[in-house]
Amino acid sequence: MQSRTFGYARVSSFDQNLSRQIQALSAYGIDERDIITDKVSGKDFNRQGYLMLKNQILRSGDTLAIKELDRLGRNYEQIKEEWRELQQMGIDIVILDMPILDTREKSDLEKSLIANIVFELLAYLAEKERCKIKSRQKEGISAAKSKGVKFGRPQAELPPNFYEEYAKWRNGEQTAVQTMKRLGLKRTTFYKLIKTERR
């Protein structure tokens, strides 16, 4: 059976347009009837078009073309997993925006090398994204602190008669339970305030 080339295009919400990806796949030479699309919305990421393409249409020796690597999955781990599975099925992969990731007419060794490039690239991008998130968090915390926003649990307020009753307790004039009762404090709050005062 002659091998075929299919295209896959995906956007992550219904109001986004698939035309940019479809045009690129058509320009690559894929008939529009062989381009499978998904408009995936929500957290379940239920890609019916892609799953049909992968499980029912693609055969060993066929080629799957996509415009960008991230069309394969919603996160780096999923992209790696899909790449592995497609390779195991004997499907060649073409990434239009990254010609180096073209596995057609490559030996097993070359395909393995391309897979390693993909995985290293994804690991780098994932780490870069983590660093970006951490940096944004730091910047956000710094900006909030400069505006007087306090982080952590709110500090318990001292009752007006705290020092007076605290002194009586320290001098052995009354028990801790009596002191808590007079101050109207719970045990954990009482000892937390005492710990703060002793610093």
Side-chain angles (χ1 to χ4, degrees), residues 70-118:
D70 63 3
R71 298 303 87 193
L72 272 184
R74 75 183 307 178
N75 57 47
Y76 302 121
E77 284 306 313
Q78 189 175 43
I79 295 168
K80 281 169 68 173
E81 190 57 36
E82 292 303 327
W83 188 283
R84 277 199 194 99
E85 287 184 18
L86 289 166
Q87 291 282 275
Q88 285 167 2
M89 289 167 61
I91 309 299
D92 281 317
I93 306 166
V94 174
I95 312 296
L96 301 186
D97 282 2
M98 301 182 83
I100 194 173
L101 304 183
D102 182 345
T103 66
R104 292 170 309 158
E105 299 174 11
K106 298 290 193 299
S107 66
D108 288 344
L109 181 62
E110 288 170 320
K111 286 181 182 181
S112 177
L113 176 63
I114 290 169
N116 287 336
I117 291 170
V118 170

Side-chain angles (χ1 to χ4, degrees), residues 28-40:
Y28 181 70
I30 302 172
D31 194 302
E32 203 157 321
R33 69 182 180 184
D34 291 330
I35 298 173
I36 310 299
T37 64
D38 274 318
K39 283 197 171 188
V40 179

Side-chain angles (χ1 to χ4, degrees), residues 47-65:
R47 300 178 296 165
Q48 293 179 349
Y50 177 77
L51 292 173
M52 179 185 70
L53 176 63
K54 180 178 158 188
N55 300 326
Q56 297 174 31
I57 300 174
L58 286 167
R59 298 284 179 266
S60 181
D62 286 348
T63 298
L64 173 63

Side-chain angles (χ1 to χ4, degrees), residues 128-142:
K128 193 174 178 183
E129 189 64 26
R130 277 193 291 269
C131 290
K132 193 190 290 182
I133 290 166
K134 278 184 184 177
S135 176
R136 282 178 184 163
Q137 284 174 338
K138 279 183 184 174
E139 286 169 8
I141 290 168
S142 179

